[in-house]
Amino acid sequence: MSSDPDRNERMEKIVSLCKRRGFIFQSAEMYGGLNGCWDYGPLGAELKRNLKNYWWQKNVVERDDIVGLDGSILTHQEVLKASGHVGGFSDPMVDCRTCKARFRADQVAEQRCPEKPSRNPQENGCDLTEPREFDLMFKTSVGASSDEGAVAYLRPETAQSIFVQFKNVLETSRQKLPFGIAQIGKAFRNEINPRNFTFRSREFEQMEIEFFCRGEDGLRLTDEWLEARIAFYEQIGIPRDKLHVLDVPDGERAHYSSKTYDIEYDFPFGVQELEGVAYRTDYDLKKHGEASGKPIEYFDEATKEKLVPHVVEPSAGCDRTVLALICEAFDEESVTGDKGKEEARTVMRFDPKMAPVKCGVFPLLKNKPELVAKAKEVKALLAPLMNVFYDETGAVGRRYRRQDEIGTPFCATIDFDTVGENGPELEGTVTVRDRDSMAQERVKIAELPGYIAGKMA
Ligand code: GAP
C-alpha cells in the first residue's frame, strides 16, 4: 500500500478490473480464499503465456548459447541442504500479542495492522514480540513412507535443478563456456505476509537463466545482463523511466551472491523488485559437487584446463512482470462518444505483443446474415495466427469499449462496404480501429494478418 491515496485508488481499480474482466481471481475464493495464491482467468492466462513465450523466444529460441530445461518442482532434500535453503531460507517474523497478527520484522513499517488497516503496526502501537526466524520452505513427503528419508520440498527457486543438471545438459547439448540454461516454472515460498495483490505470493512463477562463465568474466557479464534485461522490459512495453536499478549493498545480498542488481518497477504501491541479476560466483556448483561427492567441472578443450564455472543469474518474476504489465497498461480517459457526449473510457494499453486478444471481429449488425457470415470468415482467417474475439452483441461503440478494457489493440468491423452492397470499391475490405488513437482505416481482408503481425514486431 502507498501513502498516496491516488495511487491506492488506482491499484484498487486495477484489482477490480482484473477480477471483473477475468485476468486474475483469488484462489479458492468460494471457500474464503487461499492466501497468497492466485488463479489466472481466461485473459490473464493469455497475457502470462504471451510473456513467457516472448521471454523463451528471445532467450532460448533466438540464441545459440542458451538452452532450456524443465525441471521437477518436487526437490530432493539433499539438493536444498547443499544449496543452503534447508535451515537457511527464512525471514524474520514478529507477532502482535494483542491482535495475534504476524508481520515480517524487516517490513513492519510497510504492513498494515488488521485491526486498523489505515495504520502500520508501529503507528497502531501493536505489542510486538522479539523477531524470530520463520522457515519459508514448503515441506512434503514422497511416497507412502513418512520417515525422514521421504522428505522433499517444493522448490523455492527454479535455479537449483539447473545446477544439479549442469553436467547432463553440458554433455547432451555440447555447449562451450560461456553458455546458459534457462527455465520457466513455479516456485513456492511460505511468505509471512503475502501482499500487494499478486506481487508477493506463496506460489509464483520465475523465468530464470543461469549463465555459466569463467570467473574472470562474471562481473562484466553481470553488467551486460543487466542492460539486456532492461531492454527486454522496454520491448514488452515498460518504459525505461518506470524502471529503477538498485545495486544491492553488501550485507543485503543473498548468501551466494557477490554482486546483485535489482531491476525495480514503479508499481502504484511503490518501487519494488521485478528481477534480480546476481553474480552467484561458483558457489552453487561447488556446493553440489562437495555434497554429492561428484565434483561438477568443465573441461576447457583449448587450454586443457578443468574448472568450476561461475554463474550470472538473471532471475525474473513472471507474475510480478504480468502485474507490472497490467499496472502499466491501465489508463482512464474522457472521450467524446457517438452522440457527442463526454464519456469515460478505460483502456488497457498493452504492447500488442503482450495483449491477450489481438483483434476483435465484429459484424456491424447481427441480424444481417451476409455480415455475420463474412465476419465469421474473417475470424476463421485470423484464428490460426492469433487470439481473436468475435462479438456481435450491442452497438459497435460498446463493443469497442469492451475490447479497450481488455487491451485488444485492433478491432475489425465488417460492414455493408465489405460485402459490396455500396459498390465494388471497398468490397473485401474491413474497418480496422486502433485501440490507442481510436483512428480507423480500411484494410483488405487478405492483408489483415500481415497488417496486425506488422504492428506486433
Ligand atoms: N534464483 C534467485 C532467486 O530466486 P529471488 O530474488 O529470491 O532470487 C527472483 O527471486 C525473482 O522471483 C524476484 O525478483 C521476484 O520477481 C520473484 N519472486 C520472488 N519471491 C516472490 C514472491 N513471493 N511472489 C512473487 N514473485 C516472487
Side-chain angles (χ1 to χ4, degrees), residues 99-131:
C99 69
K100 311 290 176 219
R102 293 207 147 147
F103 305 101
R104 240 178 93 164
D106 54 339
Q107 295 174 353
V108 168
E110 298 152 44
Q111 294 165 74
R112 304 284 119 188
C113 171
E115 302 253 293
K116 195 99 180 137
S118 60
R119 296 175 173 190
N120 72 37
Q122 279 157 343
E123 291 163 340
N124 199 39
C126 286
D127 181 11
L128 301 178
T129 60
E130 283 304 304

Side-chain angles (χ1 to χ4, degrees), residues 9 15 19 72 82 127 244-245 253 269 272 341 391 407 423 432:
E9 193 191 323
V15 174
K19 179 167 181 201
S72 72
D127 181 11
H244 301 259
V245 175
R253 289 190 294 270
F269 44 83
Q272 299 274 353
K341 265 185 29 195
D391 188 2
V432 177

Side-chain angles (χ1 to χ4, degrees), residues 18 33 44 85 89-90 95 144 146 157 159 192 195 210 212 236 246 288 298 326 362-363 402 431 436 453:
C18 281
H85 286 91
F89 194 50
S90 58
D95 289 312
S146 58
E157 58 172 1
I192 299 167
R195 67 201 165 98
E210 304 304 322
F212 298 97
I236 60 172
L246 174 72
H288 288 302
Y298 172 89
I326 290 173
F362 312 153
R402 288 201 286 265
T431 300
D436 295 333

Side-chain angles (χ1 to χ4, degrees), residues 157 189 191 199 201 206 208 273-274 313 315 317 320:
E157 58 172 1
R189 297 181 190 176
E191 298 283 356
F199 179 81
S201 308
Q206 292 184 315
E208 296 198 300
E273 178 185 337
L274 275 183
E313 176 194 63
S315 171
R320 283 190 188 175

